[in-house]
Amino acid sequence: MTGVNSPTPRVALLTYSTKPRGGVVHTLNLAEAMARRGVDVTVWSLARGGDDGFFRAVDPAVRVRLVPFPDRENETITDRIVRSIDTLRAAFEPEEFDIVHAQDCISANAVGDCIRTIHHLDQFTTPVLVECHEKAVVAPYARICVSRAVAEEVRQGWGLDPTVIPNGVAHQRFADAASDSPPATDARRRWSEQLGDYVLAVGGIEPRKGSIDLLEAYAALRERHPDLTLVFAGGETLFDYRDYRAEFDRRRAALGIEPVVLGNVADNDLPSLVAACLTFAFPSVKEGFGLAAMEALAAGRPVVARDLPILREVFGDTVTYASTVPELATALEKSLEPDDDRRQAGQALSASLTWDDAARRHLEFYARHPQPARG
Protein backbone atom coordinates (compact mmCIF):
# COMPACT_ATOMS: atom_id res chain seq x y z
CA MET A 1 0.00 0.00 0.00
CA THR A 2 1.37 3.41 -0.95
CA GLY A 3 0.03 5.27 2.10
CA VAL A 4 -1.89 8.53 2.32
CA ASN A 5 1.17 10.48 3.52
CA SER A 6 3.23 9.44 0.48
CA PRO A 7 3.60 11.79 -2.50
CA THR A 8 1.08 9.80 -4.52
CA PRO A 9 -1.63 8.30 -2.30
CA ARG A 10 -4.17 6.19 -4.11
CA VAL A 11 -7.57 7.81 -3.70
CA ALA A 12 -10.96 6.53 -4.80
CA LEU A 13 -13.75 9.09 -5.14
CA LEU A 14 -17.17 7.50 -5.58
CA THR A 15 -20.33 9.07 -6.95
CA TYR A 16 -23.69 7.65 -7.93
CA SER A 17 -24.17 9.04 -11.44
CA THR A 18 -22.48 10.29 -14.60
CA LYS A 19 -25.03 13.11 -15.00
CA PRO A 20 -24.36 16.80 -14.21
CA ARG A 21 -25.75 16.94 -10.69
CA GLY A 22 -23.98 19.07 -8.07
CA GLY A 23 -22.31 16.19 -6.26
CA VAL A 24 -21.03 14.73 -9.54
CA VAL A 25 -19.66 18.12 -10.65
CA HIS A 26 -17.95 18.35 -7.26
CA THR A 27 -16.44 14.88 -7.59
CA LEU A 28 -14.93 15.44 -11.02
CA ASN A 29 -13.48 18.86 -10.22
CA LEU A 30 -12.04 17.63 -6.95
CA ALA A 31 -10.51 14.58 -8.66
CA GLU A 32 -8.88 16.72 -11.35
CA ALA A 33 -7.49 19.15 -8.78
CA MET A 34 -6.04 16.24 -6.81
CA ALA A 35 -4.47 14.85 -9.96
CA ARG A 36 -2.79 18.22 -10.57
CA ARG A 37 -1.16 17.77 -7.16
CA GLY A 38 0.24 14.40 -8.17
CA VAL A 39 -2.38 12.22 -6.50
CA ASP A 40 -3.24 8.84 -8.01
CA VAL A 41 -7.01 9.32 -8.10
CA THR A 42 -9.78 7.15 -9.52
CA VAL A 43 -13.42 8.19 -9.87
CA TRP A 44 -15.96 5.37 -9.59
CA SER A 45 -19.56 5.73 -10.69
CA LEU A 46 -22.55 3.77 -11.81
CA ALA A 47 -23.09 4.14 -15.56
CA ARG A 48 -26.85 4.60 -15.64
CA GLY A 49 -28.91 3.94 -18.73
CA GLY A 50 -26.00 2.73 -20.83
CA ASP A 51 -23.79 5.80 -20.37
CA ASP A 52 -20.26 5.22 -21.58
CA GLY A 53 -18.78 8.27 -19.87
CA PHE A 54 -19.45 11.28 -17.69
CA PHE A 55 -21.42 14.29 -18.89
CA ARG A 56 -18.11 15.94 -19.79
CA ALA A 57 -14.60 14.91 -20.69
CA VAL A 58 -12.45 14.11 -17.67
CA ASP A 59 -8.75 14.97 -17.39
CA PRO A 60 -6.81 11.89 -18.55
CA ALA A 61 -4.75 12.13 -15.36
CA VAL A 62 -7.85 10.89 -13.52
CA ARG A 63 -8.74 7.22 -13.85
CA VAL A 64 -12.44 6.52 -14.42
CA ARG A 65 -14.17 3.26 -13.48
CA LEU A 66 -17.78 3.03 -14.61
CA VAL A 67 -19.96 0.18 -13.41
CA PRO A 68 -22.74 -0.80 -15.87
CA PHE A 69 -26.18 -0.15 -14.46
CA PRO A 70 -28.92 -0.79 -17.04
CA ASP A 71 -32.40 0.63 -16.56
CA ARG A 72 -35.26 -1.68 -15.58
CA GLU A 73 -38.86 -1.05 -16.39
CA ASN A 74 -41.35 -0.58 -13.56
CA GLU A 75 -38.64 -0.54 -10.90
CA THR A 76 -39.54 1.32 -7.71
CA ILE A 77 -37.22 4.04 -6.40
CA THR A 78 -36.45 1.94 -3.34
CA ASP A 79 -35.56 -1.09 -5.45
CA ARG A 80 -33.42 1.03 -7.75
CA ILE A 81 -31.43 2.49 -4.89
CA VAL A 82 -30.92 -0.93 -3.28
CA ARG A 83 -29.80 -2.32 -6.65
CA SER A 84 -27.47 0.67 -7.05
CA ILE A 85 -25.82 -0.10 -3.72
CA ASP A 86 -25.50 -3.82 -4.45
CA THR A 87 -24.11 -3.24 -7.95
CA LEU A 88 -21.45 -0.78 -6.82
CA ARG A 89 -20.51 -2.96 -3.83
CA ALA A 90 -19.98 -5.99 -6.06
CA ALA A 91 -17.70 -4.08 -8.46
CA PHE A 92 -15.65 -1.90 -6.11
CA GLU A 93 -12.18 -3.09 -5.08
CA PRO A 94 -11.23 -1.26 -1.87
CA GLU A 95 -7.85 -2.95 -1.48
CA GLU A 96 -6.59 -0.94 -4.46
CA PHE A 97 -6.79 2.34 -2.54
CA ASP A 98 -5.31 4.11 0.45
CA ILE A 99 -8.32 6.39 0.84
CA VAL A 100 -11.92 5.56 -0.08
CA HIS A 101 -14.09 8.68 -0.21
CA ALA A 102 -17.83 8.40 -0.87
CA GLN A 103 -19.78 11.42 -2.10
CA ASP A 104 -23.36 10.26 -1.48
CA CYS A 105 -25.60 7.81 0.36
CA ILE A 106 -25.43 5.13 -2.32
CA SER A 107 -21.66 4.92 -2.50
CA ALA A 108 -21.26 5.22 1.28
CA ASN A 109 -23.53 2.22 1.76
CA ALA A 110 -21.73 0.27 -0.95
CA VAL A 111 -18.06 0.53 0.04
CA GLY A 112 -17.74 -0.14 3.77
CA ASP A 113 -15.07 1.84 5.66
CA CYS A 114 -14.85 5.23 4.03
CA ILE A 115 -14.76 8.98 4.36
CA ARG A 116 -18.09 10.56 3.45
CA THR A 117 -18.87 14.02 2.15
CA ILE A 118 -22.37 14.98 3.27
CA HIS A 119 -23.43 17.55 0.69
CA HIS A 120 -26.91 17.89 2.15
CA LEU A 121 -29.27 15.79 4.25
CA ASP A 122 -32.35 14.17 2.76
CA GLN A 123 -35.60 13.10 4.37
CA PHE A 124 -37.13 9.72 3.57
CA THR A 125 -40.21 7.88 4.76
CA THR A 126 -39.59 4.45 3.24
CA PRO A 127 -37.94 2.28 5.94
CA VAL A 128 -35.24 0.91 3.62
CA LEU A 129 -34.25 4.40 2.48
CA VAL A 130 -34.35 5.78 6.02
CA GLU A 131 -31.94 3.01 7.03
CA CYS A 132 -29.66 3.70 4.05
CA HIS A 133 -29.57 7.43 4.83
CA GLU A 134 -28.84 6.78 8.52
CA LYS A 135 -26.06 4.32 7.77
CA ALA A 136 -24.46 6.69 5.26
CA VAL A 137 -24.18 9.34 7.97
CA VAL A 138 -23.16 7.15 10.90
CA ALA A 139 -21.03 4.36 9.42
CA PRO A 140 -18.19 6.34 7.71
CA TYR A 141 -15.12 6.73 9.90
CA ALA A 142 -14.75 10.44 9.02
CA ARG A 143 -16.99 13.10 7.50
CA ILE A 144 -16.72 16.29 5.46
CA CYS A 145 -19.45 18.88 4.83
CA VAL A 146 -19.31 21.67 2.24
CA SER A 147 -20.88 24.23 4.58
CA ARG A 148 -21.10 24.96 8.31
CA ALA A 149 -24.90 24.83 8.17
CA VAL A 150 -24.95 21.21 7.00
CA ALA A 151 -22.22 20.31 9.51
CA GLU A 152 -24.41 21.79 12.26
CA GLU A 153 -27.37 19.68 11.08
CA VAL A 154 -25.17 16.61 11.46
CA ARG A 155 -24.06 17.70 14.94
CA GLN A 156 -27.63 18.34 16.04
CA GLY A 157 -28.97 15.13 14.55
CA TRP A 158 -26.21 12.65 15.34
CA GLY A 159 -23.73 14.26 17.72
CA LEU A 160 -20.99 13.95 15.10
CA ASP A 161 -18.49 16.67 14.19
CA PRO A 162 -17.77 16.89 10.44
CA THR A 163 -14.97 19.01 9.02
CA VAL A 164 -16.08 21.82 6.71
CA ILE A 165 -14.33 22.12 3.34
CA PRO A 166 -16.23 24.42 0.94
CA ASN A 167 -16.68 23.64 -2.73
CA GLY A 168 -14.42 25.16 -5.30
CA VAL A 169 -15.78 27.00 -8.32
CA ALA A 170 -14.63 26.87 -11.95
CA HIS A 171 -14.58 30.67 -11.82
CA GLN A 172 -12.55 31.43 -14.93
CA ARG A 173 -14.69 29.19 -17.12
CA PHE A 174 -17.81 31.22 -16.33
CA ALA A 175 -16.03 34.58 -16.20
CA ASP A 176 -14.64 33.93 -19.68
CA ALA A 177 -18.17 33.20 -20.94
CA ALA A 178 -19.18 36.69 -19.79
CA SER A 179 -16.18 38.43 -21.40
CA ASP A 180 -16.13 40.69 -24.45
CA SER A 181 -14.14 38.23 -26.55
CA PRO A 182 -15.73 37.47 -29.93
CA PRO A 183 -16.33 33.75 -29.17
CA ALA A 184 -17.99 34.57 -25.82
CA THR A 185 -20.08 37.34 -27.34
CA ASP A 186 -21.20 35.07 -30.18
CA ALA A 187 -22.15 32.26 -27.78
CA ARG A 188 -24.26 34.57 -25.63
CA ARG A 189 -25.92 36.05 -28.70
CA ARG A 190 -26.98 32.60 -29.87
CA TRP A 191 -28.75 31.97 -26.59
CA SER A 192 -30.39 35.39 -26.69
CA GLU A 193 -31.59 34.82 -30.24
CA GLN A 194 -33.12 31.50 -29.16
CA LEU A 195 -34.57 32.55 -25.80
CA GLY A 196 -34.86 36.34 -25.80
CA ASP A 197 -34.35 38.03 -22.41
CA TYR A 198 -34.60 35.32 -19.77
CA VAL A 199 -34.59 34.35 -16.13
CA LEU A 200 -32.57 31.14 -15.70
CA ALA A 201 -32.85 28.31 -13.18
CA VAL A 202 -30.43 25.37 -13.29
CA GLY A 203 -31.15 22.05 -11.63
CA GLY A 204 -34.32 20.74 -13.21
CA ILE A 205 -37.92 20.76 -12.06
CA GLU A 206 -38.20 19.15 -8.64
CA PRO A 207 -39.42 19.93 -5.12
CA ARG A 208 -35.99 20.67 -3.64
CA LYS A 209 -35.36 23.31 -6.30
CA GLY A 210 -38.56 25.24 -5.55
CA SER A 211 -39.58 25.10 -9.22
CA ILE A 212 -43.31 25.73 -8.70
CA ASP A 213 -42.60 28.74 -6.48
CA LEU A 214 -40.43 30.15 -9.27
CA LEU A 215 -43.21 29.52 -11.77
CA GLU A 216 -45.66 31.45 -9.59
CA ALA A 217 -43.20 34.30 -9.07
CA TYR A 218 -42.51 34.51 -12.79
CA ALA A 219 -46.24 34.79 -13.48
CA ALA A 220 -46.32 37.94 -11.33
CA LEU A 221 -43.11 39.26 -12.85
CA ARG A 222 -44.37 38.72 -16.39
CA GLU A 223 -47.28 41.09 -15.81
CA ARG A 224 -44.75 43.93 -15.71
CA HIS A 225 -42.17 42.38 -18.04
CA PRO A 226 -44.18 40.48 -20.69
CA ASP A 227 -41.16 39.85 -22.94
CA LEU A 228 -39.17 38.06 -20.24
CA THR A 229 -38.79 34.27 -20.65
CA LEU A 230 -38.41 31.72 -17.85
CA VAL A 231 -35.85 29.01 -18.65
CA PHE A 232 -35.15 25.78 -16.75
CA ALA A 233 -31.96 23.85 -17.50
CA GLY A 234 -30.52 20.62 -16.16
CA GLY A 235 -32.09 17.95 -14.04
CA GLU A 236 -31.41 14.26 -13.54
CA THR A 237 -32.13 12.44 -10.33
CA LEU A 238 -32.76 8.99 -8.97
CA PHE A 239 -36.06 10.08 -7.51
CA ASP A 240 -39.45 10.00 -9.13
CA TYR A 241 -40.91 13.50 -9.26
CA ARG A 242 -43.72 12.75 -11.72
CA ASP A 243 -46.38 13.99 -9.32
CA TYR A 244 -44.49 17.24 -8.78
CA ARG A 245 -43.96 17.68 -12.50
CA ALA A 246 -47.68 17.07 -13.09
CA GLU A 247 -48.50 19.79 -10.56
CA PHE A 248 -45.95 22.07 -12.22
CA ASP A 249 -47.64 21.51 -15.58
CA ARG A 250 -51.09 22.07 -14.07
CA ARG A 251 -50.01 25.39 -12.58
CA ARG A 252 -48.25 26.37 -15.80
CA ALA A 253 -51.44 25.80 -17.77
CA ALA A 254 -53.60 27.61 -15.22
CA LEU A 255 -51.28 30.62 -15.29
CA GLY A 256 -50.99 30.59 -19.07
CA ILE A 257 -47.20 30.33 -18.92
CA GLU A 258 -44.90 28.55 -21.35
CA PRO A 259 -41.47 28.29 -19.72
CA VAL A 260 -38.64 26.87 -21.79
CA VAL A 261 -37.46 23.54 -20.35
CA LEU A 262 -34.08 22.71 -21.88
CA GLY A 263 -33.25 19.60 -19.89
CA ASN A 264 -29.57 18.77 -19.64
CA VAL A 265 -27.41 21.28 -21.51
CA ALA A 266 -24.07 20.27 -23.02
CA ASP A 267 -21.30 21.12 -20.59
CA ASN A 268 -19.50 23.34 -23.10
CA ASP A 269 -22.68 25.37 -23.61
CA LEU A 270 -23.61 25.87 -19.96
CA PRO A 271 -21.32 28.84 -19.17
CA SER A 272 -22.66 30.92 -22.06
CA LEU A 273 -26.26 30.00 -21.15
CA VAL A 274 -25.60 31.29 -17.62
CA ALA A 275 -23.71 34.38 -18.81
CA ALA A 276 -26.50 35.37 -21.22
CA CYS A 277 -29.35 35.39 -18.69
CA LEU A 278 -30.65 38.65 -17.25
CA THR A 279 -30.92 37.15 -13.78
CA PHE A 280 -30.36 33.77 -12.14
CA ALA A 281 -33.09 32.29 -9.92
CA PHE A 282 -32.12 29.95 -7.09
CA PRO A 283 -35.27 29.34 -5.01
CA SER A 284 -34.16 25.98 -3.57
CA VAL A 285 -35.74 24.93 -0.31
CA LYS A 286 -32.73 22.76 0.61
CA GLU A 287 -29.10 23.08 -0.44
CA GLY A 288 -25.68 22.10 0.83
CA PHE A 289 -23.70 24.88 -0.85
CA GLY A 290 -25.25 26.33 -4.02
CA LEU A 291 -22.65 25.64 -6.70
CA ALA A 292 -24.87 26.61 -9.66
CA ALA A 293 -25.55 30.01 -8.10
CA MET A 294 -21.84 30.51 -7.42
CA GLU A 295 -21.14 29.82 -11.10
CA ALA A 296 -23.71 32.48 -11.99
CA LEU A 297 -21.82 34.97 -9.79
CA ALA A 298 -18.62 34.04 -11.63
CA ALA A 299 -20.38 35.01 -14.85
CA GLY A 300 -21.34 38.36 -13.33
CA ARG A 301 -25.05 37.55 -13.17
CA PRO A 302 -27.36 38.78 -10.40
CA VAL A 303 -28.69 35.95 -8.26
CA VAL A 304 -31.97 35.76 -6.35
CA ALA A 305 -31.86 32.98 -3.75
CA ARG A 306 -34.17 31.47 -1.18
CA ASP A 307 -33.55 32.96 2.25
CA LEU A 308 -31.92 29.93 3.87
CA PRO A 309 -29.23 29.99 6.60
CA ILE A 310 -26.92 27.86 4.47
CA LEU A 311 -27.17 30.27 1.52
CA ARG A 312 -26.60 33.30 3.73
CA GLU A 313 -23.51 31.55 5.08
CA VAL A 314 -22.10 30.84 1.63
CA PHE A 315 -23.18 33.95 -0.30
CA GLY A 316 -23.37 36.72 2.30
CA ASP A 317 -24.47 39.98 0.69
CA THR A 318 -23.58 39.00 -2.89
CA VAL A 319 -27.11 37.78 -3.72
CA THR A 320 -30.68 38.94 -3.05
CA TYR A 321 -32.81 36.78 -0.74
CA ALA A 322 -36.52 36.00 -0.80
CA SER A 323 -38.69 33.69 1.31
CA THR A 324 -42.14 33.85 -0.28
CA VAL A 325 -43.45 33.85 -3.84
CA PRO A 326 -44.28 37.61 -3.75
CA GLU A 327 -40.84 38.35 -2.32
CA LEU A 328 -39.26 36.23 -5.03
CA ALA A 329 -41.13 38.12 -7.76
CA THR A 330 -40.10 41.47 -6.28
CA ALA A 331 -36.47 40.43 -5.89
CA LEU A 332 -36.31 39.10 -9.46
CA GLU A 333 -37.65 42.41 -10.78
CA LYS A 334 -35.20 44.42 -8.71
CA SER A 335 -32.32 42.23 -9.91
CA LEU A 336 -32.98 43.38 -13.47
CA GLU A 337 -31.50 46.75 -12.48
CA PRO A 338 -27.67 46.86 -12.66
CA ASP A 339 -25.83 46.72 -9.34
CA ASP A 340 -22.11 46.93 -10.09
CA ASP A 341 -21.01 46.76 -6.44
CA ARG A 342 -22.90 43.52 -5.84
CA ARG A 343 -21.72 42.09 -9.18
CA GLN A 344 -18.08 42.78 -8.33
CA ALA A 345 -18.50 41.34 -4.84
CA GLY A 346 -20.03 38.19 -6.30
CA GLN A 347 -17.23 37.76 -8.80
CA ALA A 348 -14.65 38.24 -6.07
CA LEU A 349 -16.36 35.65 -3.86
CA SER A 350 -16.51 33.04 -6.62
CA ALA A 351 -12.88 33.69 -7.56
CA SER A 352 -11.80 33.09 -3.94
CA LEU A 353 -13.15 29.52 -3.93
CA THR A 354 -10.82 27.30 -5.93
CA TRP A 355 -10.78 23.57 -6.51
CA ASP A 356 -7.00 23.56 -5.99
CA ASP A 357 -7.52 24.87 -2.46
CA ALA A 358 -10.32 22.33 -1.88
CA ALA A 359 -7.98 19.54 -3.05
CA ARG A 360 -5.20 20.72 -0.73
CA ARG A 361 -7.55 20.75 2.24
CA HIS A 362 -8.89 17.31 1.35
CA LEU A 363 -5.38 15.86 1.24
CA GLU A 364 -4.61 17.40 4.63
CA PHE A 365 -7.83 15.82 5.91
CA TYR A 366 -6.84 12.43 4.48
CA ALA A 367 -3.48 12.66 6.27
CA ARG A 368 -5.28 13.28 9.57
CA HIS A 369 -7.80 10.48 8.91
CA PRO A 370 -6.03 7.49 7.36
CA GLN A 371 -8.09 4.55 6.22
CA PRO A 372 -8.53 1.93 9.00
CA ALA A 373 -6.74 -1.35 8.47
CA ARG A 374 -8.92 -3.78 6.52
CA GLY A 375 -9.63 -7.31 7.49
Side-chain angles (χ1 to χ4, degrees), residues 199-202 214 274 277-284 289-307 311 314-322 327-328 330-337 339 342-343 345-347 349-350:
V199 176
L200 177 65
V202 172
L214 178 56
V274 173
C277 74
L278 290 190
T279 188
F280 189 90
F282 199 66
S284 298
F289 181 83
L291 185 56
M294 195 64 73
E295 292 168 342
L297 293 185
R301 297 298 79 213
V303 172
V304 175
R306 182 83 64 173
D307 194 354
L311 297 182
V314 172
F315 291 95
D317 295 331
T318 65
V319 308
T320 303
Y321 298 98
E327 288 175 359
L328 183 58
T330 299
L332 286 170
E333 183 170 33
K334 186 175 180 180
S335 73
L336 300 176
E337 303 170 4
D339 186 338
R342 178 167 277 169
R343 176 181 58 79
Q347 289 175 314
L349 174 62
S350 67

Side-chain angles (χ1 to χ4, degrees), residues 95-137:
E95 65 279 358
E96 294 183 2
F97 303 100
D98 305 305
I99 290 290
V100 175
H101 185 170
Q103 297 290 328
D104 49 73
C105 289
I106 286 172
S107 55
N109 274 273
V111 299
D113 283 336
C114 68
I115 292 168
R116 162 86 195 282
T117 291
I118 303 171
H119 292 272
H120 67 271
L121 292 166
D122 290 303
Q123 293 181 333
F124 298 108
T125 56
T126 305
V128 171
L129 299 186
V130 170
E131 181 182 356
C132 287
H133 184 268
E134 178 79 9
K135 182 179 176 182
V137 173

Side-chain angles (χ1 to χ4, degrees), residues 116-194:
R116 162 86 195 282
T117 291
I118 303 171
H119 292 272
H120 67 271
L121 292 166
D122 290 303
Q123 293 181 333
F124 298 108
T125 56
T126 305
V128 171
L129 299 186
V130 170
E131 181 182 356
C132 287
H133 184 268
E134 178 79 9
K135 182 179 176 182
V137 173
V138 174
Y141 72 87
R143 297 155 200 86
I144 295 170
C145 291
V146 294
S147 63
R148 293 192 306 274
V150 176
E152 183 59 27
E153 286 187 74
V154 175
R155 290 189 195 97
Q156 292 293 328
W158 290 270
L160 302 168
D161 190 24
T163 294
V164 177
I165 303 178
N167 275 323
V169 183
H171 171 87
Q172 199 59 50
R173 182 168 177 254
F174 286 83
D176 287 347
S179 73
D180 293 329
S181 71
T185 301
D186 288 345
R188 294 197 304 275
R189 185 179 64 249
R190 287 193 293 272
W191 284 117
S192 295
E193 289 173 350
Q194 176 183 343

